[in-house]
Amino acid sequence: QQQVKQSPQSLIVQKGGISIINCAYENTAFDYFPWYQQFPGKGPALLIAIRPDVSEKKEGRFTISFNKSAKQFSLHIMDSQPGDSATYFCAADFQKLVFGTGTRLLVSP
Amino acid sequence: NAGVTQTPKFQVLKTGQSMTLQCAQDMNHNSMYWYRQDPGMGLRLIYYSASEGTTDKGEVPNGYNVSRLNKREFSLRLESAAPSQTSVYFCASSSGTAYGYTFGSGTRLTVV
């Protein structure tokens, strides 16, 4: 039973383009929604996070959009760069983190 | 600053062998976690410890045991390894609910 559903599984974006990754959840008790970035051979690292009382959060080129009524949230990466090529995980927290299945992003030069 | 340190980084076991994965954090975090990462399945929680002296099962606890040795250390033990336990294991720590987790660099375990 996947509590957090993530799509797409993989994504190819040209340099300078916008990368969009979507997640949906079921449990309305979740109260914290982070995104993690993982490079090959490394552990996931916290990228940006949002709480359900906010509809959008922006940090540099990274933005989380949150739709509480639809139980969906998404990560937008503006002006995508080759260095952004990594696997991205959405997650939701209620006492412990539950992760989506991940999106492998490739930004072509 | 080390953050979360996991040992070993790589391990090959034969079916039926036992081993302990070690994890230590130097951030004075109360909570610690063990996840496994498999292709296409994201990270799944094996066990966690909300505070020193407590441990609880996560989503996939079968075949594993844990020990919260002190506030810094949280170990994961495989008593009788099986090929289905081939995975990358990550330890993480946090200040508590609704705070970011800090992950270690992982242990890549192969059971043959």
Side-chain angles (χ1 to χ4, degrees):
Chain A
Q1 178 187 357
Q2 190 68 35
Q3 293 192 55
V4 179
K5 295 184 179 180
Q6 183 172 347
S7 63
Q9 202 169 11
S10 62
L11 183 61
I12 300 175
V13 173
Q14 286 200 330
K15 179 181 175 181
I18 302 173
S19 303
I20 302 174
I21 304 170
N22 300 300
C23 285
Y25 64 97
E26 289 296 325
N27 188 351
T28 55
F30 288 136
D31 58 5
Y32 177 71
F33 299 87
W35 285 87
Y36 283 81
Q37 180 187 55
Q38 184 181 31
F39 293 105
K42 304 292 186 182
L46 180 64
L47 184 63
I48 187 172
I50 198 167
R51 298 184 190 275
D53 54 347
V54 177
S55 61
E56 185 176 282
K57 183 173 182 180
K58 184 177 181 179
E59 290 184 0
R61 295 184 294 109
F62 300 90
T63 300
I64 299 178
S65 297
F66 188 84
N67 185 330
K68 189 173 181 178
S69 61
K71 293 187 285 187
Q72 295 175 347
F73 59 111
S74 60
L75 176 70
H76 291 64
I77 306 174
M78 311 300 289
D79 187 26
S80 298
Q81 299 296 312
D84 297 330
S85 297
T87 299
Y88 292 81
F89 292 97
C90 63
D93 193 340
F94 177 64
Q95 299 178 339
K96 49 194 180 293
L97 271 181
V98 178
F99 285 85
T101 51
T103 296
R104 183 170 291 187
L105 171 65
L106 176 64
V107 181
S108 59
Chain B
N1 52 351
V4 177
T5 302
Q6 290 184 237
T7 56
K9 292 189 183 303
F10 301 93
Q11 184 71 47
V12 179
L13 287 180
K14 293 182 179 179
T15 297
Q17 286 185 317
S18 63
M19 79 161 295
T20 299
L21 281 64
Q22 306 287 352
C23 175
Q25 53 94 5
D26 62 2
M27 296 170 287
N28 201 35
H29 285 165
N30 289 320
S31 303
M32 298 186 73
Y33 311 84
W34 277 105
Y35 285 85
R36 59 178 288 174
Q37 183 175 21
D38 301 291
M41 304 191 75
L43 291 99
R44 293 181 293 168
L45 183 64
I46 305 171
Y47 270 94
Y48 67 104
S49 171
S51 61
E52 186 179 355
T54 68
T55 60
D56 284 290
K57 295 179 180 179
E59 182 185 354
V60 289
N62 291 344
Y64 306 95
N65 284 301
V66 291
S67 295
R68 183 75 183 266
L69 304 170
N70 48 55
K71 191 171 185 178
R72 290 186 64 249
E73 299 172 286
F74 189 39
S75 62
L76 178 71
R77 183 162 178 83
L78 287 69
E79 291 291 350
S80 179
S84 61
Q85 294 178 306
T86 293
S87 187
V88 181
Y89 291 85
F90 287 100
C91 177
S93 69
S94 76
S95 299
T97 302
Y99 288 89
Y101 287 19
T102 300
F103 282 83
S105 57
T107 294
R108 185 173 294 273
L109 175 68
T110 301
V111 182
V112 297

